[in-house]
Amino acid sequence: MGKNSNDKILNVVELETIESLAKIVSDNELSEITVSCENCNITIKGRKPAPQTVVAGMGVSASAPVQAAEVKAESAKEVGAAVEGNVVKSPIVGTFYQAPSPDKPPFVKVGDKVKKGDVIMIIESMKLMNEVQSEFDGTVEKILVSDGQPVEFDQPIMIIK
């Protein structure tokens, strides 16, 4: 590609976004992630080749090691079988945050009562803060991940009874 082509891509996708994608690939040990925009496709490859998995409805495809995916699936089954209540799962790949900012109190703590529609966490993905609302009424029984921890799509995060 010539200089003009690269300039156009950088105008469409900022360098920070590319760096964020590279960090997601690295932190989650993905083999590859592809993002398609209007006028460009960006593929960032990690170190581990694996079969491709498509995240439905997000315009993003990612590859993860099969062994890790199988282990996570078993963990999710164990969580679902080991607890009673409703399991809240991550709607996207990103970073879990319990509070709107470091100086604010968490949205919910273990023992708090929540109603359907209450904001219970934030998942940061590609520098966007995505508020996650409860799909259930009940009491927060357990929070399964730590604040600031990377999470996978469909990973169990919280139990609401």
Side-chain angles (χ1 to χ4, degrees), residues 11-112:
N11 285 337
V12 173
V13 180
E14 300 218 1
L15 187 57
E16 287 178 9
T17 303
I18 295 170
E19 289 172 345
S20 296
L21 290 170
K23 183 171 178 6
I24 290 169
V25 169
S26 175
D27 290 351
N28 294 293
E29 298 179 356
L30 300 174
S31 64
E32 170 178 314
I33 188 168
T34 301
V35 177
S36 299
C37 302
E38 288 179 21
N39 298 325
C40 70
N41 288 325
I42 296 174
T43 299
I44 298 175
K45 295 187 179 194
R47 296 182 183 170
K48 297 182 180 183
Q52 194 172 48
T53 306
V54 176
V55 181
M58 294 197 58
V60 175
S61 65
S63 299
V66 175
Q67 185 178 12
E70 291 170 359
V71 169
K72 287 180 185 167
E74 289 174 13
S75 298
K77 288 178 187 174
E78 290 172 11
V79 167
V83 295
E84 295 177 17
N86 299 304
V87 178
V88 177
K89 297 180 181 180
S90 177
I92 55 175
V93 173
T95 304
F96 166 78
Y97 292 109
Q98 290 182 295
S101 67
D103 59 334
K104 301 286 183 185
F107 290 107
V108 295
K109 299 180 296 277
V110 173
D112 286 354

Side-chain angles (χ1 to χ4, degrees), residues 88-91 117-123 130-134:
V88 177
K89 297 180 181 180
S90 177
D118 288 352
V119 175
I120 55 175
M121 69 182 96
I122 289 178
I123 304 291
N130 301 284
E131 290 185 343
V132 178
Q133 298 176 346
S134 177

